[in-house]
Amino acid sequence: MSTQIWTRLDYDRPGKQVGHLHLPHSVHRSAYGNIVIPLGIVAGGKGPTLLLTAGTHGDEYEGQIALTKLLRNIDPKSVNGRLIVIPMLNAPAARAGMRTSPIDGANLNRAFPGDPLGGPTAAIAHYVSSVLFPMADAYQDIHAGGSSLDYLPFVSVRQSGDADLDARAMAAARAFGAPLIQVWGYSPDPRLSTAESNRQKIVSLGGEFGGGGAVSRRGLAIVERGLERLMAHLGIMAPLDESPPPPALEVEVQGRDHYVYAEADGLFEPLADLGESVLAGQPCGNVHDPDDPLRPAALHLFRRDGMLVCRRHPGQVRRGDCLAHLAAPRRG
Amino acid sequence: MSTQIWTRLDYDRPGKQVGHLHLPHSVHRSAYGNIVIPLGIVAGGKGPTLLLTAGTHGDEYEGQIALTKLLRNIDPKSVNGRLIVIPMLNAPAARAGMRTSPIDGANLNRAFPGDPLGGPTAAIAHYVSSVLFPMADAYQDIHAGGSSLDYLPFVSVRQSGDADLDARAMAAARAFGAPLIQVWGYSPDPRLSTAESNRQKIVSLGGEFGGGGAVSRRGLAIVERGLERLMAHLGIMAPLDESPPPPALEVEVQGRDHYVYAEADGLFEPLADLGESVLAGQPCGNVHDPDDPLRPAALHLFRRDGMLVCRRHPGQVRRGDCLAHLAAPRRG
Amino acid sequence: MSTQIWTRLDYDRPGKQVGHLHLPHSVHRSAYGNIVIPLGIVAGGKGPTLLLTAGTHGDEYEGQIALTKLLRNIDPKSVNGRLIVIPMLNAPAARAGMRTSPIDGANLNRAFPGDPLGGPTAAIAHYVSSVLFPMADAYQDIHAGGSSLDYLPFVSVRQSGDADLDARAMAAARAFGAPLIQVWGYSPDPRLSTAESNRQKIVSLGGEFGGGGAVSRRGLAIVERGLERLMAHLGIMAPLDESPPPPALEVEVQGRDHYVYAEADGLFEPLADLGESVLAGQPCGNVHDPDDPLRPAALHLFRRDGMLVCRRHPGQVRRGDCLAHLAAPRRG
Amino acid sequence: MSTQIWTRLDYDRPGKQVGHLHLPHSVHRSAYGNIVIPLGIVAGGKGPTLLLTAGTHGDEYEGQIALTKLLRNIDPKSVNGRLIVIPMLNAPAARAGMRTSPIDGANLNRAFPGDPLGGPTAAIAHYVSSVLFPMADAYQDIHAGGSSLDYLPFVSVRQSGDADLDARAMAAARAFGAPLIQVWGYSPDPRLSTAESNRQKIVSLGGEFGGGGAVSRRGLAIVERGLERLMAHLGIMAPLDESPPPPALEVEVQGRDHYVYAEADGLFEPLADLGESVLAGQPCGNVHDPDDPLRPAALHLFRRDGMLVCRRHPGQVRRGDCLAHLAAPRRG
Amino acid sequence: MSTQIWTRLDYDRPGKQVGHLHLPHSVHRSAYGNIVIPLGIVAGGKGPTLLLTAGTHGDEYEGQIALTKLLRNIDPKSVNGRLIVIPMLNAPAARAGMRTSPIDGANLNRAFPGDPLGGPTAAIAHYVSSVLFPMADAYQDIHAGGSSLDYLPFVSVRQSGDADLDARAMAAARAFGAPLIQVWGYSPDPRLSTAESNRQKIVSLGGEFGGGGAVSRRGLAIVERGLERLMAHLGIMAPLDESPPPPALEVEVQGRDHYVYAEADGLFEPLADLGESVLAGQPCGNVHDPDDPLRPAALHLFRRDGMLVCRRHPGQVRRGDCLAHLAAPRRG
Amino acid sequence: MSTQIWTRLDYDRPGKQVGHLHLPHSVHRSAYGNIVIPLGIVAGGKGPTLLLTAGTHGDEYEGQIALTKLLRNIDPKSVNGRLIVIPMLNAPAARAGMRTSPIDGANLNRAFPGDPLGGPTAAIAHYVSSVLFPMADAYQDIHAGGSSLDYLPFVSVRQSGDADLDARAMAAARAFGAPLIQVWGYSPDPRLSTAESNRQKIVSLGGEFGGGGAVSRRGLAIVERGLERLMAHLGIMAPLDESPPPPALEVEVQGRDHYVYAEADGLFEPLADLGESVLAGQPCGNVHDPDDPLRPAALHLFRRDGMLVCRRHPGQVRRGDCLAHLAAPRRG
């Protein structure tokens, strides 16, 4: 079964086109309705195809803004190759300001390679996997921590097991020029978008550029400048200047013990800050229960040494929530 | 009609008691149920009564943590007078992590002086107004920006129109020792808790100590140290040390033009940071619409000079949302 | 402002009429809609007017069944006086099987004397208070424990403070012939239907005839037989036989300490049964927390001597829920 | 207490202004948020003030479109006097496409004269009653049948009991030039917008211009042409031509028996059409129950002679829904 | 895995049986509950089996009424062969008056061939595909536009690719005698009920007989008369008269460009009427935005010549909604 | 694909461990969240592994309490073999007090053998099937009637078709010592937990120990004593005493006619009690409709002889609900 998603745009036409993907969605309020997903195509000259997506999670905004500005401002005459740009890939989630789709409750970044006859989220994943990835030479899916996590901004690479592909991805990440590069060396879930693009042998970048459901001015500046450098690295655009990207710290998440999970419900008082280097056994934070003020706070410790790159944003936590995660200096 | 709220604690008993207020709430899942609100009373010796509340908005956490720790740690023998401490005043909202009550949808800080037979939120306001305020000499209601606003931390005073009362409140605010003191010189709504406590001639403080629905480590430190200094100022506790509080900047919100409101729906890219001094006409931020990438961004300007003390937290905005507000140096 | 509720039935016409009250309710699905409440009027000869209501809480069923069967089976020629019978007074709640109205969330037995322009629940209370009570000489509002409580079946009287009225109500309760008569000697809330009927000097009975949201065969038999005896006592119907009602135990609820409230969230293991006589300090039940199996159970004790007449039905409890209440032998 | 609604527009400034009313609404997603209601003011020369509102019910669209087009197209230089135009008065309901507000569930046309501290719907009614009506000489609130009713298009007048005011309203209705004029001679509810404007002695028109939640091309043409004639009648605009309005049929709703209400749940098969003259006792329609196909259909008859001006739109009905209403030739 | 749906009716018994299908549905309110779907079987003599379904979409009513009346009125002695009649196939959707099931959110006409262990909608589709279709010689699934579309009434045929089957279906459609016959020549979705019946080589008809969630008197008359003619055509009933069906116009939907989709959110002002012949480039309608009255209306044009057979019903539209679709004269 | 559920407990470590299963659940409120399920492991000496689960349905409480108490009280030194104890297997349902999961709406006992990448309920079933069952020699899944059914307490065995396995299960059931043993001789659904454990050749018991969403003191005593006897039977614990279990009545559910289903909506008046022996044709109960009091009650009869072991608990019923089921003396 092939995709039911359609568009009036033409992926092969030179110039700048901005329009929509239409995902048929027959529901009570519209028997012949469509979920509409903004799409931009900018093509010119000879060169590779770079696919850029944001809004895979609807409450991560730096990428959505950066790609909107990119489409608005880019001059197609400056392009060699092709950009396919989707600022809010899970459009229903993005319109709702939610991580997950309000229609089917699904998390798009746990839905790859997708299903053309599944719910809207699965159908979007399937379109990316079956139509867009086969056209792409390089891919970046731009993330942030969303409503529940604060992240130190970084560009990231997910290890594919293919050394050549990983090396090309790492070169692209370095060209991107973020102050921090994170390697996901531990990721059991095969349903992420970059897990699928890795399987299709596309040079793939991720990145977390802020969090808490807010817009980070610093994260936005990093991603806007990084996209310019990435397009220059790929030969799609001329570089803005000839200076090399600034040197970056390279770190790696190596396993479950890099994460701290809440062992009690309550309010989380953090005891370490993003960017701080911590030692195993050092306090990560307390969980207090204002419903029982005399109950002792639940103290949570880090299980490993590392740099604090991610911390829970909301004050309220439930047992099982991730409170923080670390990254260690990259091995080898 | 008098309140239906009851407690097994005794406001007149010396020592430390921690228990609950019971608000009868006869509903499907519990015909003879009660909404339970944690309450602490710490009394000893001679001295004034200080009422401390947090969780008036359920998603403002620094005060909830500070009052929970205060109740857990305080030695009643060190107290001269009485503390009445309610860490999560709108308990249903606090348990839900919401600004407003999930039961009746009401905002407790727009419900004073309350109604004993109204919804739970109105009944709580009525209990504070009719039972607790008559016992109190001083009052602080501890706030933060909640899920939708980020605040520079400050202690605050709401002008009552009674010069003597305002002078005593200002002295208490200075004793609190926050780096910033804000005077609410413009506040048309009579339904706030401190508007009612002002009407009852109680020395009243407010304060915003963080925001975004998170816990600010810096804001929490300011409020914990400030409560110690406030109790010392009132003679309830001995001061921790004899040093005077650090000097504070004093600012004032003077009118509607100190606020910037969104004129379009979309994603808010801020162009100024908390604590920054801005000029009238300077950009506050852009609102982008990723659903129509080619539509120009909506540029929002500040209408007055001032210091940026509050900014919207979530990236997603709707027309009419407050994007930012300023405060000006306090007028003579 | 007078009621907006109307009916095509005629309260003054002899014979048996069964029809509806119409409460105008202009909503999205029906701009000129009405909430429809079944109503029966059975009149003949000379005699007093007895108002019978059930379904004040929608999940209490013995009265709804008894009044439905009464209307179906009664021969109007056997009546001297008038019966006004409303089997499901809060019809939206009864159709939903809920204690409270799904439309406005309100508890009809906390809504008297009502408001003609309030929500539907307040408008129903107002109609009863302003139209039906002025026609009634006697009134019974038939209850059960609803979804959250199990009750030992009894007929009840609420003390009005008017000795003559209370004596006539007690005589009616004894005539009803239930094995247990309960006197509500403690009831701070003025918004119950029988509080209002007491204010209007109507001989008023209540009663709890089962619970748990189920139908008690024994409770239903007591209420069906009791209604026959009550109509005979009032002279509306001839008695079925000349035997006096069986002797009843008479008990009284005297204060808050007759109630046991949950002090913890969890699962309630009861340690005493309905009808059992208990002593102050005796175990009422444990609350276990399967989410933390090693946490000790929270043991709850009775605070007074008495007979267990009411116990929480659902296994799951939250702090503040009523676990049980007692009644003591009636004071001289 | 005065209104909390504010605007940056100036009611006294000549020319065309289009902006918004701001209704402060402090909620979880926006602590300092506002409900924003579009507002247009067109003023010039000397002349009366005409207030035009649509969207009092959010699912009635002809008026919303007509007033939007009027604001877009009108040349302020052609105006003598002042137009105050609000195309979607209950803006939250209109944005949701609902009769009632999704925020507080309220029906704006059952909320007058309103309450400045009530819910948003009551606050809007209060602003109209206390700020706009005192500025207005004439008023039209443009309706249709909404999602649940289909109406034959007409302009309408609600009898005020003030003969002079009623005569001036009738003259305005005739000038409007609709093919049908309906007089509401029976209307017990004092909470409609035109009931309040009548109390304030403003010449007031209503009208129903379609229904079923759709847009009637014919109804829209009648209302657009009617507004031009009404403005000419009031002297605000020059007439488009000198021809008199076409003659209209004048009818009246005289009482509850002009309405037919469903006596059963099921599917409504209508047996008469809009505009048809019917006789008392003639079939109005059947209600079928496909859940019990063998159950006989419930036949509903008209109770009076008259013209069918309104019929239920949706096929599904519940007992108590209005199936149809008639109007009779206007009495003397 | 075979179906879990069961019935106490016997498909092989002569005479008229009306009962139910039981679909086991174990949920909170009923652990051993069943979703109950009305079913009628009318059998006698020798002849083919005709399966008739309505309520595939719950808000399409002409078919539900026609099949209810058919079951109520039919004399089994007049039948040669067998009728299997299901007036509300997606019973949960029909009881809710919704296109889609309120239980699983699914659209039954996008669920074929179904799944016996999927949600209730998939289980119904599976029962039709695996139990009913194998018994049927002919099948009609009766539709209308539902809440969101208005249709010109027509009987329809979906091209199967099997010329013989299509010819027999076309003959049946002509016998049905509707004034319009539509051929679905473009339908990429394989999950419709008639796509599955085509795969099982059953002579299959569809048809749209009204819309807007209302009951069309004209559409109902067409479907009731058409069913009589269809049964006569198949030899199941004697013809009511010997007259041939009236001649019909035959049209065809040929591709996506026959459809017009909304390119903006707002209120839809239609500029062409059902039944009108239009030309490519002619206005279909405007979309107005009363939230921004000065924004120009979005004009939508037809992309092809054709007859307007379907138009959106509700005034409110979102980008992606179908505003209208055309049909062209049938190609030779 | 293997399970994503993880735990910090070690199934192979001697002693008593109580901790949690973590089911990764990436949602809006917690991007790296986990559903946490309490788990206890008690191991020592040599012996078989017994898996005990409760809370498969969240509103069945006797088993949840019994397993919580077992974990709290057991001395690991007394154990020979291993106990794996999960007091609330569908933890989200149990926390909500619901039969089904509030997250995905699924019934865990209709979800086996599960799916590691499905919803949380399917993932739990898969973990039990793929990780726990392979470790288990014996298994008991402890149930009750839940919110909608009342059960006479019994231990049960589901026939597997493997005579040896069934004999060993029957021996275990007799050792358990409940006063009633029920054999499920009719069970078409392959998705129950014990259907899967039967397929894996594990000695499997079930049982229903109460109902109505309450806690049965008698049922709890039976299950607590039964677990002791079962562990002794398996050799895991020493018997508490040497007395044989009391003799039990053995019954069997043999087919659909043992069940009575509601044929009308309304209120259920039962006419037989749990434990009663009934005859085919005897009244089971009436269904009354208080919305139409004059409509005759719908009388429901038993279809077979047998003992009433299960009856609907809530008074309100809908057509298709199970009102009662019988069991017959065990054959052969």
Side-chain angles (χ1 to χ4, degrees), chain B residues 28-325:
Chain B
H28 184 80
R29 62 163 294 289
S30 193
Y32 300 159
N34 290 273
I35 295 170
V36 163
I37 305 168
L39 165 71
I41 304 168
V42 189
K46 292 278 182 199
T49 292
L50 171 63
L51 171 65
L52 296 171
T53 58
T56 296
H57 294 134
D59 59 345
E60 300 173 10
Y61 298 114
E62 290 82 2
Q64 296 186 48
I65 293 175
L67 297 188
T68 297
K69 292 169 76 174
L70 176 64
L71 278 178
R72 202 190 295 137
N73 299 328
I74 199 166
D75 177 355
K77 292 195 224 75
S78 68
V79 170
N80 287 299
R82 180 169 56 174
L83 298 173
I84 301 173
V85 180
I86 306 181
M88 41 195 279
L89 184 59
N90 197 349
R95 287 186 192 111
M98 299 285 290
R99 179 175 189 76
T100 47
S101 172
I103 299 176
D104 56 18
N107 179 338
L108 177 54
N109 213 25
R110 299 294 183 281
F112 281 79
D115 178 355
L117 298 181
T121 304
I124 295 169
H126 176 266
Y127 185 82
V128 174
S129 300
S130 68
V131 176
L132 298 183
F133 281 167
M135 289 192 278
D137 300 288
Y139 171 49
Q140 184 165 16
D141 189 35
I142 306 169
H143 283 257
S147 300
S148 69
L149 300 172
D150 284 316
Y151 258 107
L152 210 60
F154 57 74
V155 69
S156 66
V157 168
R158 184 168 305 276
Q159 287 187 333
S160 70
D162 173 333
D164 175 63
L165 182 64
D166 288 354
R168 287 188 290 140
M170 202 67 200
R174 286 169 182 147
F176 189 92
L180 186 68
I181 299 176
Q182 179 159 294
V183 175
W184 295 100
Y186 162 78
S187 62
D189 202 308
R191 297 170 297 175
L192 295 96
S193 68
T194 49
E196 176 62 21
S197 61
N198 272 345
R199 287 191 290 268
Q200 296 198 25
K201 303 302 181 188
I202 300 163
V203 170
S204 303
L205 297 183
E208 308 282 346
F209 298 98
V215 174
S216 162
R217 291 183 75 193
R218 181 167 170 254
L220 180 57
I222 291 171
V223 76
E224 291 195 71
R225 186 70 185 93
L227 287 172
E228 292 165 354
R229 288 197 191 100
L230 175 64
M231 291 188 286
H233 172 76
L234 294 169
I236 294 174
M237 301 273 284
L240 290 194
D241 59 47
E242 296 298 320
S243 62
L249 185 62
E250 298 188 2
V251 295
E252 192 174 23
V253 177
Q254 291 160 350
R256 181 164 289 140
D257 282 350
H258 268 167
Y259 293 78
V260 180
Y261 294 102
E263 292 164 15
D265 294 356
L267 300 184
F268 173 48
E269 175 191 17
L271 296 171
D273 288 321
L274 283 186
E276 196 173 325
S277 285
V278 303
L279 296 175
Q282 176 177 332
C284 169
N286 278 313
V287 174
H288 300 276
D289 182 0
D291 230 324
D292 277 306
L294 299 185
R295 179 181 297 183
L299 179 62
H300 291 71
L301 307 178
F302 292 106
R303 293 170 170 269
R304 294 276 294 273
D305 298 356
M307 184 172 70
L308 185 62
V309 295
C310 174
R311 204 176 69 184
R312 181 169 175 83
H313 178 84
Q316 194 181 60
V317 300
R318 293 195 207 142
R319 189 185 271 173
D321 287 339
C322 178
L323 297 179
H325 84 77

Side-chain angles (χ1 to χ4, degrees), chain F residues 77-250:
Chain F
K77 290 192 228 77
S78 66
V79 169
N80 288 299
R82 180 168 58 171
L83 297 173
I84 301 174
V85 180
I86 306 183
M88 40 195 280
L89 183 61
N90 197 349
R95 287 186 192 110
M98 299 284 290
R99 179 174 189 79
T100 47
S101 172
I103 298 176
D104 55 18
N107 179 340
L108 177 54
N109 212 26
R110 299 294 181 283
F112 280 78
D115 177 355
L117 297 181
T121 303
I124 294 169
H126 176 266
Y127 185 81
V128 173
S129 301
S130 69
V131 176
L132 298 182
F133 282 165
M135 290 192 277
D137 300 288
Y139 171 49
Q140 185 168 15
D141 189 33
I142 307 169
H143 284 257
S147 300
S148 68
L149 299 173
D150 284 314
Y151 259 108
L152 209 61
F154 57 73
V155 70
S156 65
V157 168
R158 183 169 306 277
Q159 287 186 332
S160 70
D162 173 333
D164 174 64
L165 181 64
D166 289 352
R168 287 188 291 138
M170 203 66 200
R174 287 170 182 146
F176 189 91
L180 186 68
I181 298 175
Q182 178 160 293
V183 175
W184 296 100
Y186 162 77
S187 62
D189 201 310
R191 297 169 298 174
L192 294 97
S193 67
T194 49
E196 176 63 20
S197 61
N198 273 345
R199 287 189 289 268
Q200 298 197 24
K201 304 298 181 191
I202 299 163
V203 170
S204 302
L205 298 183
E208 308 282 345
F209 297 97
V215 174
S216 161
R217 290 182 77 193
R218 180 166 171 257
L220 179 57
I222 292 170
V223 77
E224 292 195 71
R225 185 71 185 92
L227 288 171
E228 291 164 355
R229 288 198 192 100
L230 175 63
M231 290 188 287
H233 172 77
L234 296 169
I236 294 176
M237 300 272 284
L240 289 194
D241 57 48
E242 294 299 322
S243 61
L249 184 64
E250 300 189 1

Side-chain angles (χ1 to χ4, degrees), chain F residues 22 31 48 51 91 109 114 118 128 154 159 161 177 213 218 223 238 253 260-261 273 275 279 294 307 309 327:
Chain F
H22 289 71
L51 171 64
N109 212 26
V128 173
F154 57 73
Q159 287 186 332
R218 180 166 171 257
V223 77
V253 177
V260 179
Y261 294 101
D273 288 320
L279 297 177
L294 299 186
M307 184 171 68
V309 295

